Amino acid sequence: MPLVTTTEMFKKAYEGGYAIGAFNVNNMEIVQGITEACAETRSPVILQVSKGARAYANHTYLTKLVEAAVIENPEIPIALHLDHGPDFETCKSCIDGGFTSVMIEGSSLTFEENVKLAKRVVEYAHDHGVVVEAELGTLAGIEDEVNVSAEDSSYTRPEEVEEFVTRTGCDSLAIAIGTSHGAYKFKPGTKPQLRFDILKEVEKRLPGVPIGLHGSSSVPQEYVEMINTYGGAMPGAIGVPEDQLREAARMAVCKINIDSDLRLAMTGTIRKYFAEHPDHFDPRQYLKPARANIKAMVMHKLIDVLGCNGKA
Ligand code: G3H
Ligand code: 13P
Ligand code: ZN
């Protein structure tokens, strides 16, 4: 089947009490690892591309890699999504360039400016058969382009969500309930706890609207240890506990964003490989186990956390 939008996959996920994995892609091995896991478990999937990914790998290379994944895995629905679209122009370029879904990130703007920007993107996107994720509430953490400190982050205010979704016409809403981007989500020694009270209130006010959760890597300690053992330095890297992601997936959360876990699996594997095979220099030798571990990690997410296996 050709690339799809997220409409149908979110509808089924909302009704079925599971979530779709939205995984960031930056190169061929990552695309292959993710989609092989999805094909093997018959899971629908969102492959998402950030502004940084487009700057690194180029729009055409990324869309062609995803096109190849669609051809190789005709039995699973795949959506191609712009992650953290910073402005109208980037969204337009992705809509014109074959994406089926875009995120417009206006959450650091005032409410009115966020509404205005999101509405403009929604109008253009819907005219072109593309769906839109908008955001209310700001996550802490580091992405390529943005570094939001914990003090500048803010939870979503449930009393704003109905007006925002009605006025913008967005298809799904990303909310901030305590997740953050990157590998250092909680202070070591503190108990990670997402604000399920906010999620419940949002769900009550927006029945049927799919909710997205950014910053949802669980930062597998097996890979943090692998990195630290083989020359890396990531002390105190902590993610969202998987039982809390499972709980969110059973609720209105239909999209769970994962990037850092892919990076950890790839980096840990390659560090270990280099340490164990100092004489090897063919990139295929170390990229192969890295891709295999990405696949294994994604399979675990699909089956044991998101619950979207068998739903393709
Ligand atoms: O949420 C952000 C993603 O992890 C993408 O990160 O901007 O470094 O590509 P990036
Ligand atoms: P992580 O850093 O938790 O993987 O979050 C990824 C994300 O939100 C991409 O938009
Ligand atoms: Zn994000």
Side-chain angles (χ1 to χ4, degrees), residues 24 48 83-84 180-182 185 214-217 257-261:
N24 287 73
Q48 57 187 8
D83 190 28
H84 294 282
S180 60
H181 290 111
K185 301 186 190 299
H214 283 250
S216 295
S217 277
N257 282 23
I258 296 172
D259 186 4
S260 295
D261 289 354

Side-chain angles (χ1 to χ4, degrees), residues 289-308:
R291 178 175 61 191
N293 279 349
I294 284 177
K295 178 179 174 186
M297 191 275 292
V298 171
M299 281 181 82
H300 162 69
K301 299 282 174 189
L302 302 170
I303 298 169
D304 299 324
V305 181
L306 307 169
C308 61

Side-chain angles (χ1 to χ4, degrees), residues 9-248:
M9 54 174 92
F10 282 168
K11 189 169 181 290
K12 287 187 186 162
Y14 193 97
E15 287 162 3
Y18 61 90
I20 309 295
F23 299 98
N24 287 73
V25 296
N26 290 281
N27 67 17
M28 182 188 77
E29 286 75 13
I30 298 174
V31 171
Q32 289 177 329
I34 296 164
T35 51
E36 282 172 20
C38 293
E40 213 160 300
T41 57
R42 301 199 69 86
S43 305
V45 68
I46 299 167
L47 299 179
Q48 57 187 8
V49 168
S50 69
K51 181 183 173 188
R54 287 176 93 222
Y56 168 73
N58 163 309
H59 177 97
T60 309
Y61 279 98
L62 288 170
T63 51
K64 294 296 169 193
L65 282 173
V66 171
E67 249 176 57
V70 166
I71 293 167
E72 287 297 315
N73 304 285
E75 68 285 15
I76 54 163
I78 301 179
L80 174 56
H81 173 73
L82 168 64
D83 190 28
H84 294 282
D87 47 38
F88 176 81
E89 289 66 32
T90 309
C91 292
K92 180 178 182 300
S93 157
C94 289
I95 294 164
D96 296 344
F99 283 43
T100 55
S101 173
V102 294
M103 174 191 190
I104 177 68
E105 175 160 348
S107 60
S108 57
L109 304 172
T110 65
F111 182 83
E112 283 304 320
E113 284 170 342
N114 192 0
V115 168
K116 199 170 148 200
L117 177 61
K119 192 167 183 291
R120 185 170 175 224
V121 172
V122 168
E123 280 167 5
Y124 189 81
H126 285 183
D127 276 351
H128 293 79
V130 169
V131 292
V132 178
E133 174 188 9
E135 185 176 47
L136 268 180
T138 319
L139 272 69
I142 303 167
E143 302 152 38
D144 244 13
E145 306 291 328
V146 207
N147 184 349
V148 181
S149 68
E151 302 80 65
D152 291 336
S153 66
S154 61
Y155 292 118
T156 302
R157 293 154 55 90
E159 58 276 21
E160 291 182 345
V161 298
E162 291 140 292
E163 184 186 342
F164 184 79
V165 171
T166 310
R167 285 179 61 193
T168 60
C170 66
D171 303 275
S172 64
L173 183 69
I175 64 168
I177 59 168
T179 60
S180 60
H181 290 111
Y184 302 89
K185 301 186 190 299
F186 302 94
K187 286 207 177 76
T190 59
K191 193 179 171 294
Q193 183 57 58
L194 301 186
R195 292 286 303 273
F196 284 101
D197 56 322
I198 297 178
L199 175 56
K200 273 192 196 117
E201 192 54 35
V202 169
E203 185 176 59
K204 205 163 82 190
R205 288 168 183 260
L206 292 177
V209 175
I211 300 300
L213 261 201
H214 283 250
S216 295
S217 277
S218 55
V219 185
Q221 291 304 299
E222 126 193 44
Y223 286 116
V224 174
E225 275 158 35
M226 202 181 276
I227 288 170
N228 290 337
T229 303
Y230 295 100
M234 298 190 67
I238 295 173
V240 182
E242 288 188 337
D243 58 342
Q244 295 188 33
L245 295 172
R246 260 179 226 117
E247 191 174 338

